[in-house]
Amino acid sequence: MRWTWIVASAVFAVASVGAVSAKTYTGHDVVSTGTAPLRAYLTESAGPNGATHADMWVADGSTVVRSYDVDMTKLLHMIVVSDDLTDFQHIHPVLHPDGHFTIDFHTAHEGLYHVYIDGIAHGYGRQVFRFDIPVGSAKPAAVRHLNPSGNSSRVGPYVVTLDPVRVPFGEIVTIEVHIT
């Protein structure tokens, strides 16, 4: 089986396990193809029925960006993934006139979550930001030291092979993934 993936999605994580008091996070810039550096913010708070309410916005200095270009039929793609990779959600927040995107969602369990947001701010180009959000009693993200492993790895009965392409920081690159 052969899959081609475009590396550029942004993921954006928040919690739904237990009560959530309002907290605001500043996003880490993952991809910025625009001409001006932008900042992203995410405020999480308790939503209805145990959900997490996420309110996010992107700003140029103190000015909130209010206009986005459609990309793959949506204005913003939000990826919510648990650090252990057992919970993955690709969802689409709603844009409001004030430039804020909002959505309510549930997480499967406590733990560290990574939330990516991926959108094309009109006039600024593609912007991808990551937020690291501890859910419940989870600890903040720790530094991970990875050992070189080559471009193939066995996962259960499968062998996953990645193209040996180098991905320069801040660039969008096509990576081929082969699963046999």
Side-chain angles (χ1 to χ4, degrees), residues 32-55:
S32 179
T33 62
T35 57
L38 299 178
R39 301 290 299 181
Y41 305 92
L42 182 156
T43 297
E44 64 164 326
S45 59
N49 301 318
T52 295
H53 177 76
D55 176 354

PDB file of all heavy atoms in Angstrom, residues 32-55:
ATOM      1  N   SER A  32       5.219  28.749   8.430  1.00  0.00           N
ATOM      2  CA  SER A  32       4.793  30.104   8.111  1.00  0.00           C
ATOM      3  C   SER A  32       5.324  30.448   6.731  1.00  0.00           C
ATOM      4  O   SER A  32       6.516  30.668   6.558  1.00  0.00           O
ATOM      5  CB  SER A  32       5.337  31.092   9.152  1.00  0.00           C
ATOM      6  OG  SER A  32       4.943  32.399   8.829  1.00  0.00           O
ATOM      7  N   THR A  33       4.416  30.445   5.753  1.00  0.00           N
ATOM      8  CA  THR A  33       4.854  30.770   4.391  1.00  0.00           C
ATOM      9  C   THR A  33       4.589  32.230   4.058  1.00  0.00           C
ATOM     10  O   THR A  33       4.859  32.665   2.962  1.00  0.00           O
ATOM     11  CB  THR A  33       4.129  29.885   3.361  1.00  0.00           C
ATOM     12  OG1 THR A  33       2.724  30.137   3.443  1.00  0.00           O
ATOM     13  CG2 THR A  33       4.420  28.416   3.603  1.00  0.00           C
ATOM     14  N   GLY A  34       4.049  32.958   4.990  1.00  0.00           N
ATOM     15  CA  GLY A  34       3.717  34.351   4.755  1.00  0.00           C
ATOM     16  C   GLY A  34       4.912  35.272   4.918  1.00  0.00           C
ATOM     17  O   GLY A  34       6.020  34.851   5.232  1.00  0.00           O
ATOM     18  N   THR A  35       4.654  36.548   4.713  1.00  0.00           N
ATOM     19  CA  THR A  35       5.719  37.546   4.766  1.00  0.00           C
ATOM     20  C   THR A  35       5.871  38.172   6.143  1.00  0.00           C
ATOM     21  O   THR A  35       6.897  38.763   6.435  1.00  0.00           O
ATOM     22  CB  THR A  35       5.443  38.665   3.754  1.00  0.00           C
ATOM     23  OG1 THR A  35       4.152  39.224   4.039  1.00  0.00           O
ATOM     24  CG2 THR A  35       5.466  38.126   2.329  1.00  0.00           C
ATOM     25  N   ALA A  36       4.843  38.054   6.981  1.00  0.00           N
ATOM     26  CA  ALA A  36       4.904  38.667   8.311  1.00  0.00           C
ATOM     27  C   ALA A  36       4.770  37.583   9.377  1.00  0.00           C
ATOM     28  O   ALA A  36       3.972  36.661   9.227  1.00  0.00           O
ATOM     29  CB  ALA A  36       3.777  39.690   8.475  1.00  0.00           C
ATOM     30  N   PRO A  37       5.539  37.684  10.455  1.00  0.00           N
ATOM     31  CA  PRO A  37       5.398  36.690  11.529  1.00  0.00           C
ATOM     32  C   PRO A  37       4.078  36.921  12.287  1.00  0.00           C
ATOM     33  O   PRO A  37       3.781  38.029  12.705  1.00  0.00           O
ATOM     34  CB  PRO A  37       6.605  36.966  12.422  1.00  0.00           C
ATOM     35  CG  PRO A  37       6.972  38.382  12.156  1.00  0.00           C
ATOM     36  CD  PRO A  37       6.563  38.667  10.740  1.00  0.00           C
ATOM     37  N   LEU A  38       3.305  35.877  12.417  1.00  0.00           N
ATOM     38  CA  LEU A  38       2.041  35.956  13.143  1.00  0.00           C
ATOM     39  C   LEU A  38       2.153  35.147  14.423  1.00  0.00           C
ATOM     40  O   LEU A  38       3.033  34.298  14.554  1.00  0.00           O
ATOM     41  CB  LEU A  38       0.897  35.408  12.282  1.00  0.00           C
ATOM     42  CG  LEU A  38       0.633  36.141  10.965  1.00  0.00           C
ATOM     43  CD1 LEU A  38      -0.490  35.463  10.190  1.00  0.00           C
ATOM     44  CD2 LEU A  38       0.308  37.604  11.214  1.00  0.00           C
ATOM     45  N   ARG A  39       1.254  35.394  15.364  1.00  0.00           N
ATOM     46  CA  ARG A  39       1.186  34.635  16.615  1.00  0.00           C
ATOM     47  C   ARG A  39      -0.206  34.014  16.697  1.00  0.00           C
ATOM     48  O   ARG A  39      -1.174  34.591  16.218  1.00  0.00           O
ATOM     49  CB  ARG A  39       1.405  35.549  17.830  1.00  0.00           C
ATOM     50  CG  ARG A  39       2.719  36.289  17.866  1.00  0.00           C
ATOM     51  CD  ARG A  39       3.893  35.412  18.125  1.00  0.00           C
ATOM     52  NE  ARG A  39       3.771  34.763  19.419  1.00  0.00           N
ATOM     53  CZ  ARG A  39       4.669  33.953  19.921  1.00  0.00           C
ATOM     54  NH1 ARG A  39       5.754  33.685  19.249  1.00  0.00           N
ATOM     55  NH2 ARG A  39       4.499  33.392  21.092  1.00  0.00           N
ATOM     56  N   ALA A  40      -0.292  32.852  17.334  1.00  0.00           N
ATOM     57  CA  ALA A  40      -1.585  32.194  17.516  1.00  0.00           C
ATOM     58  C   ALA A  40      -1.817  31.948  18.997  1.00  0.00           C
ATOM     59  O   ALA A  40      -0.878  31.711  19.758  1.00  0.00           O
ATOM     60  CB  ALA A  40      -1.617  30.873  16.753  1.00  0.00           C
ATOM     61  N   TYR A  41      -3.078  31.976  19.381  1.00  0.00           N
ATOM     62  CA  TYR A  41      -3.469  31.792  20.776  1.00  0.00           C
ATOM     63  C   TYR A  41      -4.671  30.854  20.843  1.00  0.00           C
ATOM     64  O   TYR A  41      -5.513  30.849  19.947  1.00  0.00           O
ATOM     65  CB  TYR A  41      -3.834  33.140  21.412  1.00  0.00           C
ATOM     66  CG  TYR A  41      -2.731  34.148  21.288  1.00  0.00           C
ATOM     67  CD1 TYR A  41      -2.684  35.020  20.210  1.00  0.00           C
ATOM     68  CD2 TYR A  41      -1.703  34.194  22.227  1.00  0.00           C
ATOM     69  CE1 TYR A  41      -1.643  35.936  20.074  1.00  0.00           C
ATOM     70  CE2 TYR A  41      -0.665  35.109  22.095  1.00  0.00           C
ATOM     71  CZ  TYR A  41      -0.645  35.966  21.016  1.00  0.00           C
ATOM     72  OH  TYR A  41       0.377  36.868  20.881  1.00  0.00           O
ATOM     73  N   LEU A  42      -4.745  30.102  21.921  1.00  0.00           N
ATOM     74  CA  LEU A  42      -5.859  29.183  22.149  1.00  0.00           C
ATOM     75  C   LEU A  42      -6.267  29.295  23.608  1.00  0.00           C
ATOM     76  O   LEU A  42      -5.427  29.164  24.494  1.00  0.00           O
ATOM     77  CB  LEU A  42      -5.429  27.748  21.838  1.00  0.00           C
ATOM     78  CG  LEU A  42      -6.474  26.651  21.970  1.00  0.00           C
ATOM     79  CD1 LEU A  42      -6.095  25.476  21.099  1.00  0.00           C
ATOM     80  CD2 LEU A  42      -6.685  26.196  23.375  1.00  0.00           C
ATOM     81  N   THR A  43      -7.541  29.569  23.824  1.00  0.00           N
ATOM     82  CA  THR A  43      -8.074  29.562  25.185  1.00  0.00           C
ATOM     83  C   THR A  43      -8.998  28.373  25.306  1.00  0.00           C
ATOM     84  O   THR A  43      -9.902  28.189  24.488  1.00  0.00           O
ATOM     85  CB  THR A  43      -8.832  30.866  25.506  1.00  0.00           C
ATOM     86  OG1 THR A  43      -7.914  31.956  25.449  1.00  0.00           O
ATOM     87  CG2 THR A  43      -9.465  30.803  26.890  1.00  0.00           C
ATOM     88  N   GLU A  44      -8.737  27.529  26.302  1.00  0.00           N
ATOM     89  CA  GLU A  44      -9.606  26.382  26.567  1.00  0.00           C
ATOM     90  C   GLU A  44     -10.438  26.679  27.797  1.00  0.00           C
ATOM     91  O   GLU A  44      -9.977  27.312  28.749  1.00  0.00           O
ATOM     92  CB  GLU A  44      -8.788  25.107  26.762  1.00  0.00           C
ATOM     93  CG  GLU A  44      -7.881  25.171  27.972  1.00  0.00           C
ATOM     94  CD  GLU A  44      -7.366  23.816  28.405  1.00  0.00           C
ATOM     95  OE1 GLU A  44      -8.093  22.816  28.271  1.00  0.00           O
ATOM     96  OE2 GLU A  44      -6.231  23.773  28.888  1.00  0.00           O
ATOM     97  N   SER A  45     -11.688  26.225  27.777  1.00  0.00           N
ATOM     98  CA  SER A  45     -12.574  26.369  28.925  1.00  0.00           C
ATOM     99  C   SER A  45     -13.593  25.238  28.877  1.00  0.00           C
ATOM    100  O   SER A  45     -13.669  24.499  27.889  1.00  0.00           O
ATOM    101  CB  SER A  45     -13.264  27.736  28.908  1.00  0.00           C
ATOM    102  OG  SER A  45     -14.010  27.894  27.714  1.00  0.00           O
ATOM    103  N   ALA A  46     -14.375  25.105  29.938  1.00  0.00           N
ATOM    104  CA  ALA A  46     -15.376  24.041  29.995  1.00  0.00           C
ATOM    105  C   ALA A  46     -16.481  24.311  28.991  1.00  0.00           C
ATOM    106  O   ALA A  46     -16.988  25.427  28.881  1.00  0.00           O
ATOM    107  CB  ALA A  46     -15.952  23.952  31.402  1.00  0.00           C
ATOM    108  N   GLY A  47     -16.830  23.273  28.236  1.00  0.00           N
ATOM    109  CA  GLY A  47     -17.928  23.350  27.284  1.00  0.00           C
ATOM    110  C   GLY A  47     -19.100  22.535  27.795  1.00  0.00           C
ATOM    111  O   GLY A  47     -19.042  21.959  28.884  1.00  0.00           O
ATOM    112  N   PRO A  48     -20.164  22.434  27.008  1.00  0.00           N
ATOM    113  CA  PRO A  48     -21.341  21.678  27.434  1.00  0.00           C
ATOM    114  C   PRO A  48     -21.077  20.171  27.451  1.00  0.00           C
ATOM    115  O   PRO A  48     -20.272  19.657  26.676  1.00  0.00           O
ATOM    116  CB  PRO A  48     -22.391  22.047  26.378  1.00  0.00           C
ATOM    117  CG  PRO A  48     -21.589  22.426  25.175  1.00  0.00           C
ATOM    118  CD  PRO A  48     -20.322  23.044  25.704  1.00  0.00           C
ATOM    119  N   ASN A  49     -21.747  19.454  28.340  1.00  0.00           N
ATOM    120  CA  ASN A  49     -21.697  17.989  28.412  1.00  0.00           C
ATOM    121  C   ASN A  49     -20.287  17.430  28.527  1.00  0.00           C
ATOM    122  O   ASN A  49     -19.950  16.428  27.893  1.00  0.00           O
ATOM    123  CB  ASN A  49     -22.408  17.380  27.201  1.00  0.00           C
ATOM    124  CG  ASN A  49     -23.859  17.818  27.109  1.00  0.00           C
ATOM    125  OD1 ASN A  49     -24.553  17.869  28.116  1.00  0.00           O
ATOM    126  ND2 ASN A  49     -24.292  18.165  25.917  1.00  0.00           N
ATOM    127  N   GLY A  50     -19.439  18.075  29.302  1.00  0.00           N
ATOM    128  CA  GLY A  50     -18.082  17.579  29.516  1.00  0.00           C
ATOM    129  C   GLY A  50     -17.112  17.869  28.383  1.00  0.00           C
ATOM    130  O   GLY A  50     -15.980  17.402  28.406  1.00  0.00           O
ATOM    131  N   ALA A  51     -17.539  18.622  27.405  1.00  0.00           N
ATOM    132  CA  ALA A  51     -16.661  18.962  26.281  1.00  0.00           C
ATOM    133  C   ALA A  51     -15.674  20.045  26.689  1.00  0.00           C
ATOM    134  O   ALA A  51     -15.838  20.711  27.709  1.00  0.00           O
ATOM    135  CB  ALA A  51     -17.478  19.442  25.086  1.00  0.00           C
ATOM    136  N   THR A  52     -14.665  20.212  25.879  1.00  0.00           N
ATOM    137  CA  THR A  52     -13.747  21.334  26.019  1.00  0.00           C
ATOM    138  C   THR A  52     -14.138  22.358  24.963  1.00  0.00           C
ATOM    139  O   THR A  52     -14.370  22.015  23.807  1.00  0.00           O
ATOM    140  CB  THR A  52     -12.297  20.889  25.777  1.00  0.00           C
ATOM    141  OG1 THR A  52     -11.935  19.981  26.815  1.00  0.00           O
ATOM    142  CG2 THR A  52     -11.343  22.077  25.792  1.00  0.00           C
ATOM    143  N   HIS A  53     -14.230  23.605  25.379  1.00  0.00           N
ATOM    144  CA  HIS A  53     -14.506  24.696  24.438  1.00  0.00           C
ATOM    145  C   HIS A  53     -13.163  25.313  24.076  1.00  0.00           C
ATOM    146  O   HIS A  53     -12.399  25.725  24.956  1.00  0.00           O
ATOM    147  CB  HIS A  53     -15.419  25.739  25.071  1.00  0.00           C
ATOM    148  CG  HIS A  53     -15.666  26.909  24.173  1.00  0.00           C
ATOM    149  ND1 HIS A  53     -16.521  26.836  23.097  1.00  0.00           N
ATOM    150  CD2 HIS A  53     -15.144  28.155  24.178  1.00  0.00           C
ATOM    151  CE1 HIS A  53     -16.527  28.010  22.478  1.00  0.00           C
ATOM    152  NE2 HIS A  53     -15.704  28.830  23.115  1.00  0.00           N
ATOM    153  N   ALA A  54     -12.850  25.354  22.790  1.00  0.00           N
ATOM    154  CA  ALA A  54     -11.605  25.958  22.310  1.00  0.00           C
ATOM    155  C   ALA A  54     -11.922  27.235  21.549  1.00  0.00           C
ATOM    156  O   ALA A  54     -12.777  27.254  20.666  1.00  0.00           O
ATOM    157  CB  ALA A  54     -10.856  24.983  21.412  1.00  0.00           C
ATOM    158  N   ASP A  55     -11.235  28.300  21.907  1.00  0.00           N
ATOM    159  CA  ASP A  55     -11.350  29.603  21.241  1.00  0.00           C
ATOM    160  C   ASP A  55      -9.948  29.957  20.791  1.00  0.00           C
ATOM    161  O   ASP A  55      -9.043  30.097  21.610  1.00  0.00           O
ATOM    162  CB  ASP A  55     -11.894  30.628  22.240  1.00  0.00           C
ATOM    163  CG  ASP A  55     -11.955  32.047  21.683  1.00  0.00           C
ATOM    164  OD1 ASP A  55     -11.473  32.299  20.556  1.00  0.00           O
ATOM    165  OD2 ASP A  55     -12.477  32.925  22.391  1.00  0.00           O
TER     166      ASP A  55
END
